[in-house]
Amino acid sequence: MIRRYRTSDLDGAAAVFIAAFSADPWNEEWPFELAAVRIEELMSAPQSIGYICEENGVIQAILCGRKLDYLYGPEYVIDEFCVDPQFHRQGIGTAVLGFASAELSSEGVVAMALMTTKGYPSEKFYRRNGFDGNNDMIFMYRSIKGECK
């Protein structure tokens, strides 16, 4: 069952987040408390809208994003989207995106946007699901740790 995120989903969502990002290619070690804080922060803004795929009380996927106004109409900006690796390749991610797209479209949202790492499996997944790159845009990053004295 796919439905909107509820605050009571936090622990299950954090567990999915940890499972997803501890797997290849990310191999990140997220402590439970930090993963929960990350999800809580993403879902705490008034514009936040999230989705959960849950079967038999087990959360299998979580989609966190924000509905933001833009020149051509509201957009849904995806902040985090993960499927527990034990449920990969079962169509869950595509189903969650489809459900969210239909629901958000009925609420007047005109587009979905996201950032993902080039060359990772997530890029191929998003392309299969109708997302495309934009050669006019670039994601840039700068580490600032240790620069302040």
Side-chain angles (χ1 to χ4, degrees):
M1 168 180 72
I2 302 169
R3 61 172 173 75
R4 288 257 176 133
Y5 174 88
R6 299 187 289 246
T7 55
S8 60
D9 295 320
L10 181 60
D11 286 354
V16 169
F17 185 88
I18 290 167
F21 288 103
S22 67
D24 282 334
W26 297 275
N27 300 308
E28 296 175 346
E29 295 181 24
W30 283 80
F32 182 84
E33 296 78 20
L34 184 56
V37 166
R38 173 93 175 137
I39 300 296
E40 194 170 43
E41 287 175 345
L42 291 173
M43 297 309 302
S44 66
Q47 314 85 325
S48 296
I49 299 173
Y51 294 91
I52 291 291
C53 179
E54 177 183 40
E55 290 298 327
N56 301 318
V58 176
I59 295 177
Q60 300 174 338
I62 178 168
L63 171 62
C64 301
R66 294 163 289 131
K67 181 178 166 183
L68 301 173
D69 290 317
Y70 191 66
L71 180 63
Y72 306 110
E75 294 179 336
Y76 183 70
V77 179
I78 297 171
D79 292 308
E80 295 288 0
F81 183 32
C82 26
V83 176
D84 188 312
Q86 67 180 321
F87 300 109
H88 280 186
R89 309 200 75 61
Q90 296 179 27
I92 292 170
T94 297
V96 171
L97 279 179
F99 183 92
S101 294
E103 188 172 276
L104 292 165
S105 177
S106 74
E107 296 174 12
V109 173
V110 300
M112 295 175 108
L114 61 88
M115 289 186 295
T116 194
T117 305
K118 193 172 193 68
Y120 275 29
S122 52
E123 178 186 9
K124 291 177 186 174
F125 168 79
Y126 287 120
R127 287 188 184 280
R128 279 195 320 269
N129 281 281
F131 288 82
D132 199 7
N134 182 327
N135 292 332
D136 295 332
M137 305 285 285
I138 184 171
F139 171 71
M140 298 180 79
Y141 181 84
R142 175 183 170 207
S143 177
I144 58 171
K145 185 177 180 180
E147 288 190 7
C148 296
K149 293 185 181 193

